[in-house]
Amino acid sequence: MRKHILFAALSLALAQMAPAQEVDLEKCRPATDSFEAIVDVSGSMMKPQPDRRKSKYPDQAEAHENASEELALTAEPAAEEPQSESRQESQAAKEEETEPDDEAKIAKAKRFLLKLSEDADMSIRSGLFTMGPFTVQLPSEIREKEPYAERVEELPEDLETIGRMTWLGQRARRHLSNAEGGSRALLLITDGAFTTWKMDEKQNPTTVFKEFREANPGNTIYFLSLADNDKIREDAEAVIGAKAIDLNEVLEKEEVYRELVRQIFRSDCPPVVVPPQMIELHGIVFDFDKHYLTAESQQILDDALALIAALPENVPIEIRGWTDWCGSDEYNAGLSQRRANSVRKYFIDHGIAAERLTATGHGKSFTYDNRNSHGRHRNRKVELVIGAYESIPWGTEAEKEAERERMRRKLNAHPQQ
């Protein structure tokens, strides 16, 4: 019986939300008309990146090495002591941390682009180019993910390493200053150090990137840096006119990568009004002074999970926890928060995206009669608020978080039960 009540409540919520989802998808496309990757294939890109710890503070690193070497020459040899298993593992991990980076920079660039090809919005044009020299690997046009990834795989990793510098020629200048085709997001992957040697053959890179930005107000440069040290990176930033994004960090930290993807494919989609639906999960109750989910509660949450999965992925869900009237207001505020957190964790553990879920403790409930045990038991409950007053289906994480904060403020402004 409870399952049928829950199904009816969530189905009603879906039906009432349906009109709000009628959005002009054409207006919700990415804000840019195309994304292009230009990969530096100069000689230095064919080499591994020096140890980043040393390259950041070269003087200190050298002094540390000299001191270590001097200490090793003067120190008396110590008797070997057996190491515990945990100590051996710690030592192995430390040695692994200090090993120099032996992956070629071009391989890192390819690894990033292969990952991006999986997450890119291919409803807009995509292109792939190289510089040093400039070549057209894939012209800017709408294509599927697979051809893009295949062409990235074919980028060479064994070109000459001596005498091949990072430069821009006339063909690169013509391409970047082209105003046809709308706005472009340019992903420039380089280790920097642009050259203007033999200026009769090469173009001033500062002028080229300036012309690219002027060609369309919507043009954006994402400088993905593999620079060997801070000086090269800073010089490249001045030339390119964009703040560097450490490609190593993008590859190592998923949250940094995800934020970059959101920036590249951000949308101008207008806010959508979605009236919230309040649903009490009948049967999600807690024992006195407890926040652990009972077996019966988990079964009801499993039913809710299937129905939540049918909601659009952009619809946020607030989980509200409540208590009966026993105890102080302060204590019950914390207890109701723990109850809401328990449900949120259960949803996350079963596949609902964490960023969709907000858990709030609302303290004492007076929905049911607190003067008898049955009423108090029912007041120890959980509610779902499905939908928000304002929802942005597409946007940056900062926009979504601002939206969630607006939702929380407006919901909290309503009188509590």
Side-chain angles (χ1 to χ4, degrees):
M1 181 65 179
R2 282 194 186 115
K3 181 173 181 179
H4 294 308
I5 294 173
L6 175 63
F7 185 88
L10 282 172
S11 297
L12 177 63
L14 275 169
Q16 292 180 347
M17 290 174 62
Q21 298 304 315
E22 293 177 3
V23 179
D24 185 353
L25 294 179
E26 192 63 30
K27 295 180 181 177
C28 293
R29 291 164 59 85
T32 187
D33 297 305
S34 65
F35 74 96
E36 299 178 356
I38 297 187
V39 184
D40 185 358
V41 292
S42 62
S44 58
M45 286 288 290
M46 303 295 128
K47 301 176 183 179
Q49 194 165 26
D51 187 329
R52 278 179 282 149
R53 292 174 302 102
K54 294 178 183 178
S55 62
K56 189 171 183 180
Y57 305 106
D59 296 338
Q60 294 93 320
E62 185 177 351
H64 176 74
E65 284 184 354
N66 292 339
S68 299
E69 187 175 320
E70 189 174 324
L71 181 64
L73 289 172
T74 57
E76 290 291 331
E80 290 189 8
E81 295 181 5
Q83 291 185 338
S84 67
E85 187 174 326
S86 61
R87 187 174 175 186
Q88 289 174 358
E89 289 177 355
S90 175
Q91 181 66 23
K94 186 175 181 182
E95 289 174 358
E96 186 176 343
E97 283 179 6
T98 57
E99 277 193 16
D101 192 344
D102 59 358
E103 182 182 18
K105 285 179 272 188
I106 185 67
K108 290 181 179 181
K110 290 172 63 174
R111 186 151 57 89
F112 163 72
L113 289 175
L114 287 172
K115 185 174 184 180
L116 182 68
S117 67
E118 289 296 314
D119 297 313
D121 187 334
M122 303 304 276
S123 67
I124 60 176
R125 295 190 305 277
S126 60
L128 180 63
F129 306 84
T130 69
M131 64 179 180
F134 181 82
T135 67
V136 179
Q137 301 292 315
L138 288 172
S140 291
E141 59 186 43
I142 295 177
R143 57 174 53 84
E144 298 296 324
K145 299 174 185 286
E146 290 77 11
Y148 195 90
E150 289 171 3
R151 197 69 193 92
V152 170
E153 286 274 22
E154 293 170 3
L155 288 175
E157 298 183 32
D158 56 354
L159 298 177
E160 287 278 342
T161 60
I162 304 300
R164 297 181 53 258
M165 294 174 282
T166 303
W167 58 282
L168 293 170
Q170 188 60 41
R171 285 187 301 164
R173 183 172 185 174
R174 281 198 302 268
H175 173 76
L176 291 172
S177 62
N178 185 3
E180 296 180 6
S183 61
R184 290 178 284 172
L186 178 65
L187 281 62
L188 184 66
I189 306 176
T190 177
D191 56 357
F194 284 89
T195 182
T196 55
W197 179 64
K198 292 190 175 179
M199 275 302 296
D200 56 329
E201 301 173 13
K202 298 173 177 62
Q203 301 296 308
N204 186 321
T206 304
T207 302
V208 174
F209 293 120
K210 180 173 179 290
E211 290 176 352
F212 170 77
R213 287 189 294 273
E214 292 174 347
N216 189 300
N219 283 355
T220 308
I221 300 177
Y222 297 91
F223 168 28
L224 297 163
S225 174
L226 287 167
D228 291 344
N229 57 58
D230 290 348
K231 178 66 167 60
I232 292 177
R233 189 202 70 241
E234 291 165 2
D235 288 348
E237 286 178 337
V239 168
I240 296 167
K243 187 71 176 174
I245 302 169
D246 186 349
L247 186 56
N248 291 293
E249 191 174 22
V250 172
L251 289 169
E252 293 164 4
K253 297 180 180 178
E254 185 65 17
E255 66 274 16
V256 176
Y257 167 76
R258 289 293 166 192
E259 179 58 29
L260 176 61
V261 172
R262 280 189 286 268
Q263 288 181 29
I264 296 169
F265 300 105
R266 65 184 177 81
S267 170
D268 289 333
C269 184
V272 179
V273 176
V274 180
Q277 303 297 320
M278 180 82 72
I279 298 172
E280 181 177 330
L281 294 181
H282 297 284
I284 305 296
V285 293
F286 299 85
D287 294 333
F288 178 72
D289 199 26
K290 303 295 182 186
H291 65 275
Y292 305 110
L293 293 169
T294 63
E296 182 184 11
S297 295
Q298 291 180 16
Q299 183 179 356
I300 294 169
L301 289 179
D302 288 340
D303 296 334
L305 279 167
L307 294 166
I308 290 172
L311 292 165
E313 291 184 358
N314 61 287
V315 175
I317 300 169
E318 183 191 14
I319 302 160
R320 291 183 170 185
W322 296 89
T323 71
D324 61 28
W325 69 352
C326 298
S328 69
D329 291 346
E330 182 179 1
Y331 180 80
N332 280 292
L335 178 59
S336 64
Q337 182 66 55
R338 292 192 292 276
R339 288 174 175 171
N341 290 344
S342 294
V343 174
R344 182 176 185 272
K345 183 178 185 304
Y346 192 86
F347 283 163
I348 293 171
D349 290 345
H350 289 76
I352 305 299
E355 58 266 23
R356 293 180 61 187
L357 302 171
T358 302
T360 55
H362 285 258
K364 297 177 181 179
S365 169
F366 297 88
T367 306
Y368 305 101
D369 192 347
N370 277 299
R371 293 171 295 182
N372 60 68
S373 60
H374 179 68
R376 289 193 296 273
H377 185 65
R378 295 193 71 183
N379 279 328
R380 300 193 290 268
K381 62 178 180 175
V382 167
E383 296 168 337
L384 299 183
V385 177
I386 298 179
Y389 283 94
E390 292 176 330
S391 175
I392 299 179
W394 294 266
T396 66
E397 187 58 29
E399 288 169 334
K400 291 178 182 177
E401 180 53 38
E403 184 52 48
R404 285 193 287 269
E405 179 58 32
R406 283 195 295 272
M407 179 190 77
R408 285 191 287 267
R409 285 199 302 269
K410 290 186 177 181
L411 289 174
N412 291 335
H414 282 228
Q416 296 182 4
Q417 293 178 316

